[in-house]
Amino acid sequence: MRVLQRLGEGALGLLVRWLFALMRVLGPDRGPRIGGAVARAFGPLTPAHRIARDNIRAAFPDLPEAGRRRILREAWDNLGRTACEYVHMDAIWDFDLARPGAGRIEASPEVIARYAALRDRAGPALVFAAHLANWELPAVAAAKHGIRAAVLYRTPNVAPVAREILRLRRGTMGTLIPAGIAAPLRMVSALEQGMVVGMLVDQRFGRGPRVPFLGRPAAANPLLAELARRFDCPVYGTRAIRLPGGRFRLELTGPLDLPRDAEGKIDVAAATAAINRVVEAWVREHPGQWLWMHRRWR
């Protein structure tokens, strides 16, 4: 069975490499468009479609059924495009400080100034993001702006697939910290070195506090708030917004004024809830760009 499993994983790894090679041939425009079309066509045939449909219905109970179907269709399209954009991150990132709105990436002068301040400041900082639009772009933006950053990421379960995706990420991002038992210690080490540490915060964390999120209590990851309490460092939120024509707008907000306890230290539970309120506002602004297909509320 172990031999068969290794053979199966090897075959899947070859398939992923072949698909990535195909995406390179198709280019950064046609490839994601095809990926979006494939996801829209086949996503509804998967069990994840029901999960996403139920999540959207609970989050938008007053929205007509046609509106909820539109969000679901857009969410599948976004997921397919994001998957096919992995191999094109260098081409997609064409931001030019002299012409901030001329390419695929745009950012306001205020956001550009925040990136510069984050790069030039002394001491650690924390940045949270969510599975919105292309959620790899904020980490790419930090690296391209010269920020000394460490990013927490989840390793795919299939080893050959994990290696291929890690190879792609290494070329465009900063220090990569795989999720796991050693991840908090590595994040602490990065903060002690004065780095900027980023993580996605919108997935279920069964051992975390339950906070309001899109109308229902959801188990949330308190790690970022715990690190903010320990280091008393600034906390920022970042996201990419998908625009027509294969373009994106980057946002960097903060630093946030997080709740504190009677001792003046950051209150972990209240800060976790505050961070999730920011993410909820992002999702409600562009609901078709969020990853509805996971069991956040189970």
Side-chain angles (χ1 to χ4, degrees):
M1 291 299 295
R2 285 195 295 269
V3 171
L4 289 175
Q5 182 180 0
R6 286 198 295 270
L7 288 173
E9 290 182 352
L12 183 57
L14 288 173
L15 176 62
V16 169
R17 285 194 289 272
W18 181 83
L19 289 173
F20 280 169
L22 177 62
M23 288 302 107
R24 291 190 188 94
V25 172
L26 291 174
D29 294 312
R30 187 167 47 169
R33 282 202 303 270
I34 292 174
V38 170
R40 293 196 308 272
F42 293 99
L45 305 179
T46 68
H49 186 78
R50 179 179 57 81
I51 295 171
R53 183 192 61 207
D54 292 346
N55 286 340
I56 293 169
R57 182 182 294 116
F60 298 97
D62 299 326
L63 189 68
E65 184 62 29
R68 293 197 289 263
R69 286 198 301 268
R70 184 186 68 252
I71 293 173
L72 187 51
R73 179 179 172 83
E74 291 174 358
W76 279 118
D77 180 81
N78 182 74
L79 181 59
R81 288 175 181 269
T82 299
C84 294
E85 286 163 350
Y86 265 105
V87 300
H88 297 297
M89 297 308 288
D90 282 336
I92 291 172
W93 182 267
D94 62 354
F95 182 75
D96 184 354
L97 189 59
R99 300 184 304 156
R104 297 175 184 271
I105 307 295
E106 69 174 49
S108 69
E110 293 79 12
V111 168
I112 295 170
R114 290 191 191 105
Y115 272 110
L118 198 56
R119 178 194 63 215
D120 297 338
R121 75 177 304 276
L126 289 158
V127 179
F128 64 89
H131 288 86
L132 284 158
N134 186 314
W135 51 85
E136 304 282 327
L137 269 176
V140 175
K144 296 295 186 179
H145 278 86
I147 296 172
R148 292 178 60 242
V151 180
L152 180 69
Y153 76 99
R154 183 176 179 180
T155 306
N157 294 330
V158 180
V161 177
R163 287 194 295 269
E164 184 66 17
I165 292 179
L166 181 59
R167 183 183 65 81
L168 293 171
R169 283 171 165 164
R170 276 176 175 160
T172 57
M173 300 180 185
T175 301
L176 295 171
I177 299 176
I181 192 169
L185 292 177
R186 294 185 63 181
M187 296 171 76
V188 166
S189 176
L191 291 167
E192 288 175 342
Q193 297 173 51
M195 298 178 71
V196 175
V197 172
M199 64 178 289
L200 296 161
V201 297
D202 58 332
Q203 289 190 303
R204 180 181 181 274
F205 187 78
R207 301 187 303 275
R210 295 178 69 80
V211 303
F213 188 69
L214 293 169
R216 289 182 287 169
N221 193 335
L223 178 56
L224 189 132
E226 290 171 349
L227 293 171
R229 177 183 175 92
R230 174 168 176 173
F231 287 89
D232 199 17
C233 60
V235 174
Y236 295 80
T238 185
R239 63 169 169 165
I241 298 171
R242 190 178 292 278
L243 304 174
R247 302 178 68 250
F248 297 89
R249 181 167 66 248
L250 289 178
E251 291 191 354
L252 180 66
T253 60
L256 275 63
D257 185 14
L258 293 176
R260 295 178 179 265
D261 59 20
E263 298 178 356
K265 296 182 178 181
I266 288 176
D267 184 310
V268 171
T272 301
I275 290 167
N276 276 266
R277 283 196 297 272
V278 173
V279 175
E280 177 178 343
W282 290 345
V283 174
R284 290 196 181 279
E285 184 178 1
H286 297 284
Q289 299 187 18
W290 192 53
L291 188 68
W292 292 95
M293 296 80 174
H294 69 286
R295 295 184 180 275
R296 176 71 199 268
W297 293 272
R298 77 177 185 272

